[in-house]
């Protein structure tokens, strides 16, 4: 397995010159585009690492399936999905168009920004700090990393330039979907997106999803089986932005991508995979990261389809 992972990373190095880091969050544009890392955590606890696997980056949208699980724990499934839908959009992650044109103004799914902001507004806690601390605690449990924290500079950068996310949040507030104060919900969302992880952390989270909620190291249950099934389904249909269809054909795995360049992929009953490389394609997915996953999927016959 180690040899195959190293081969995948070497193959993907050929694509490092393509694309560029996200720049709409100014702090993300500072990323070193030569970085490339990958980690595999098998459901039996075996781990394999390659390249810059310990380099940290902000989790960004990879946080969305995890926040969804916490929101589902805090509310009934009926409540959550009466306010956020289950359908792929075919639009960009931060698009506003469907909110206005769809009859219900309900965000189409929890993986796009409008849906994820709504999902965050359902997370319970007396104060904004309590809500974020509950969320962070859950991320720490899933990643088996008690030291996870958020990146203040990226958080500030997102907050200062988050005009579109503010527009989305205000729109869903106006439509009666968002709960609580718009600015407090955005603070939670931006902090969640700014949580610092490395490939190893997201591979461990993906391994928990792969084993339907069990820890790959202790076999203890961390999360309900039903919720892991739900989020893996969203990852297949909406996890790779508006490239989810092509990714399903080429790689065939539930995966979630983030604009800092990370991708978390899960191979049911077998392993979690985390990859990182900051240069993105036009849809917002890490180019070299996807190449690592394509190589692994072909070589190890990982596609679920
Ligand atoms: N914090 C980012 C935003 O809301 C997350 C986007 C992403 O990773 O897709 O714009």
């Amino acid at each position: 397995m180690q040899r195959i992972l190293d081969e995948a990373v070497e193959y993907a190095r050929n694509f490092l010159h393509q694309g560029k880091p996200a720049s709409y969050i100014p702090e993300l544009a500072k990323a070193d585009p030569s970085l490339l890392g990958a980690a595999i955590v098998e459901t039996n606890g075996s781990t394999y690492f390659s390249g810059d696997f310990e380099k940290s980056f902000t989790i960004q949208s990879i946080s969305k399936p995890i926040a969804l699980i916490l929101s589902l724990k805090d509310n009934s499934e009926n409540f959550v999905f009466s306010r956020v839908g289950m359908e792929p959009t075919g639009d960009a992650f931060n698009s506003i168009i469907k909110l206005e044109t769809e009859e219900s103004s309900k965000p189409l799914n929890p993986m796009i920004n409008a849906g994820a902001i709504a999902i965050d507004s359902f997370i319970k806690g007396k104060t904004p700090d309590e809500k974020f601390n509950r969320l962070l605690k859950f991320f720490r449990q899933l990643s088996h990393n008690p030291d996870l924290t958020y990146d203040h500079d990226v958080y500030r950068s997102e907050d200062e330039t988050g005009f579109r996310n503010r527009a989305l949040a205000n729109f869903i507030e106006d439509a009666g979907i968002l709960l609580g104060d718009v600015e407090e919900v955005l603070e939670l969302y931006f902090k969640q997106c700014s949580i610092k992880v490395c490939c190893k952390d997201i591979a461990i989270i993906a391994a928990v999803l792969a084993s339907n909620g069990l820890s790959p190291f202790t076999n203890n249950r961390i999360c309900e089986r039903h919720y892991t099934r739900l989020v893996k389904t969203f990852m297949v249909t909406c996890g790779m932005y508006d490239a989810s269809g092509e990714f399903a054909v080429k790689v065939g795995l539930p995966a979630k991508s983030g604009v800092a360049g990370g991708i978390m992929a899960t191979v049911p009953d077998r392993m979690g995979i985390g990859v990182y490389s900051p240069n993105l394609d036009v849809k917002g997915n890490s180019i070299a990261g996807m190449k690592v996953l394509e190589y692994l999927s072909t070589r190890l016959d990982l596609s679920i389809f």
Side-chain angles (χ1 to χ4, degrees), residues 24-25 60-61 64 93 113 158 165 189 193 241 257-259:
Y24 75 102
I25 299 169
Q60 299 297 339
S61 278
K64 289 173 181 169
F93 63 98
N113 287 11
E158 288 215 42
N165 284 324
Y189 174 73
C193 289
Y241 307 118
S257 171
V259 288

